[in-house]
Amino acid sequence: MKKNNTSQPLISILVPVYNAGKYLPETLVSIKNQTYPNLEIICIDDGSTDNSPAILRSYAKMDKRIHVFYQKNRGAAFTRNRLLTKTHGEYFAFIDADDKVSPNYIEKLYQVAITCQSDIVRSLYYLNDITNNQLIPCDEVYKEFKHPEPAQKPVCRIQAALDDTQVWLKLIKTSLIKKHHIQFLNDAVAEDISFEILMYLYASKISFLNEYLYYYRIGNSHSFSSNKQAWAIGTLSNICFVCKELLNRKFTDKTAWNLMSQLLLHSIRRMRKFPMGRQEEEVCKQAVCLVPEIMPLCTAYMQWKLTIFCKFCKYTSVSKIPYIAWVIR
């Protein structure tokens, strides 16, 4: 690819940062050394208490493409939403602050985007396990990543999004997000889920690049993904959020609504594994309130299951709702 900043579209690299000082220099070096030159690198420090702010300032002085912003701690979803508001590129890519990418990561994804006229392009990745310094190819764990392109049917798009919830692994056309007003759910972990489902439903074309170009670090005990209870709450909150969005957007595909209903019940069911506190009860009640709105949009069999679920929920405490969802399979 000819390296000419003026002839190539601007691509935004979006980096949410929180207490990533141990790995952040390696991440920033892998970004600024990309073979695709016309980049803006936008970093938002989400109230880090380690040396991340100092590292960001240092690298911003070295590379004028790096733009740094600071905020009080608001969480990953809020930070990602704010990053999107600062994006000027024709395409953008999230890269997490403790990960790294191959030197030709953006160039390879962009080549596929323009060749295939794709709104979204993703690659394969390595799980970089820091506990034993091991690289694990993602397709050894997730076989569905070998598919080059998901089908157009809404239910297939939703399933593909669920198989591919890594928002940090893609080059995305900015106009897709702005045109359809797609955002992350603030104040919830597992924020990728709702964003991915909506993005996959609206994308005109999605391409998968069968090359390992991203290195996703795992084994960090401080990561939100290691908190299973927070992850369960976040997942249910995000499924509720998607359902509300699809209802507001007048989405009517019955097969797709069947899948969303199954996801909702499954996410409620997972809550039985954890103590039922105020936050858990609130999100369960929110999910149950959505069911009557979703029910008419499903097929007859799913309507029957949801009717039974609602009837049982009327005569039991909130703490028992996950067990009802477990019975209604």
Side-chain angles (χ1 to χ4, degrees):
M1 179 180 289
K2 184 181 177 182
K3 295 183 179 181
N4 182 343
N5 286 20
T6 59
S7 65
Q8 297 171 353
L10 180 67
I11 293 178
S12 303
I13 306 297
L14 309 181
V15 186
V17 180
Y18 179 70
N19 287 353
K22 185 176 180 180
Y23 309 108
L24 185 56
E26 187 178 9
T27 301
L28 293 174
V29 167
S30 77
I31 294 171
K32 76 187 197 69
N33 288 345
Q34 287 295 297
T35 56
Y36 188 95
N38 196 15
L39 302 175
E40 65 170 4
I41 304 164
I42 307 172
C43 306
I44 294 182
D45 182 82
D46 185 33
S48 293
T49 56
D50 67 354
N51 61 339
S52 293
I55 293 170
L56 290 171
R57 285 191 293 270
S58 174
Y59 276 84
K61 289 179 181 178
M62 288 190 284
D63 193 325
K64 297 303 181 184
R65 298 174 301 171
I66 299 176
H67 309 280
V68 181
F69 302 89
Y70 304 92
Q71 66 186 31
K72 293 181 180 179
N73 182 248
R74 295 294 304 271
F78 181 92
T79 306
R80 291 193 194 279
N81 281 330
R82 190 179 175 205
L83 282 164
L84 288 173
T85 68
K86 297 186 177 298
T87 302
H88 301 102
E90 185 174 330
Y91 298 86
F92 70 88
F94 282 107
I95 297 177
D96 282 358
D98 56 353
D99 297 338
K100 63 180 180 178
V101 291
S102 298
N104 58 357
Y105 176 64
I106 295 299
E107 183 174 6
K108 289 269 191 179
L109 293 178
Y110 176 68
Q111 286 174 338
V112 175
I114 59 173
T115 301
C116 300
Q117 295 296 296
S118 300
D119 287 338
I120 304 167
V121 184
R122 63 147 294 150
S123 71
L124 297 175
Y125 67 96
Y126 285 110
L127 293 166
N128 184 6
D129 192 342
I130 61 176
T131 59
N132 54 21
N133 200 27
Q134 183 181 10
L135 291 178
I136 306 167
C138 66
D139 60 338
E140 288 186 7
V141 183
Y142 304 107
K143 300 299 182 184
E144 63 273 4
F145 287 164
K146 292 184 182 247
H147 298 311
E149 191 175 307
Q152 289 286 345
K153 291 182 179 179
V155 67
C156 296
R157 286 295 185 90
I158 294 173
Q159 187 59 62
L162 294 169
D163 294 337
D164 178 34
T165 57
Q166 297 82 11
V167 74
W168 38 261
L169 189 65
K170 300 175 176 70
L171 186 68
I172 302 164
K173 199 160 190 178
T174 306
S175 59
L176 168 68
I177 305 304
K178 292 186 175 180
K179 179 181 178 181
H180 298 289
H181 308 287
I182 301 172
Q183 289 189 322
F184 296 91
L185 174 62
N186 284 332
D187 303 320
V189 299
E191 74 278 358
D192 296 8
I193 297 172
S194 56
F195 190 87
E196 290 283 321
I197 290 175
L198 293 172
M199 188 169 66
Y200 265 51
L201 282 172
Y202 283 111
S204 59
K205 189 171 184 179
I206 303 162
S207 297
F208 289 180
L209 177 60
N210 193 23
E211 295 185 35
Y212 297 93
L213 301 173
Y214 194 105
Y215 296 80
Y216 176 64
R217 206 181 301 269
I218 60 173
N220 181 2
S221 61
H222 299 292
S223 171
F224 264 123
S225 60
S226 65
N227 187 332
K228 293 183 179 180
Q229 185 167 358
W231 205 254
I233 296 169
T235 299
L236 180 53
S237 297
N238 272 275
I239 296 301
C240 289
F241 176 69
V242 174
C243 289
K244 289 177 183 177
E245 283 291 306
L246 294 179
L247 286 167
N248 291 336
R249 294 166 190 242
K250 310 299 181 185
F251 185 74
T252 58
D253 187 278
K254 286 185 177 294
T255 308
W257 272 116
N258 279 359
L259 177 55
M260 291 306 303
S261 299
Q262 291 169 1
L263 286 172
L264 191 66
L265 289 175
H266 176 72
S267 300
I268 296 171
R269 194 180 305 141
R270 284 179 64 190
M271 300 300 294
R272 77 188 191 281
K273 298 179 181 179
F274 309 102
M276 188 63 70
R278 184 182 62 82
Q279 189 177 9
E280 289 80 5
E281 287 188 357
E282 285 300 317
V283 72
C284 282
K285 286 191 287 186
Q286 181 185 17
V288 172
C289 289
L290 274 171
V291 173
E293 294 185 68
I294 294 171
M295 200 184 309
L297 299 168
C298 299
T299 59
Y301 176 68
M302 182 55 69
Q303 287 186 32
W304 175 75
K305 286 179 66 173
L306 294 176
T307 300
I308 294 174
F309 173 72
C310 287
K311 285 184 177 179
F312 275 102
C313 286
K314 285 182 180 179
Y315 301 103
T316 190
S317 63
V318 177
S319 63
K320 301 298 182 183
I321 287 173
Y323 294 94
I324 298 171
W326 182 75
V327 173
I328 307 296
R329 289 177 175 270

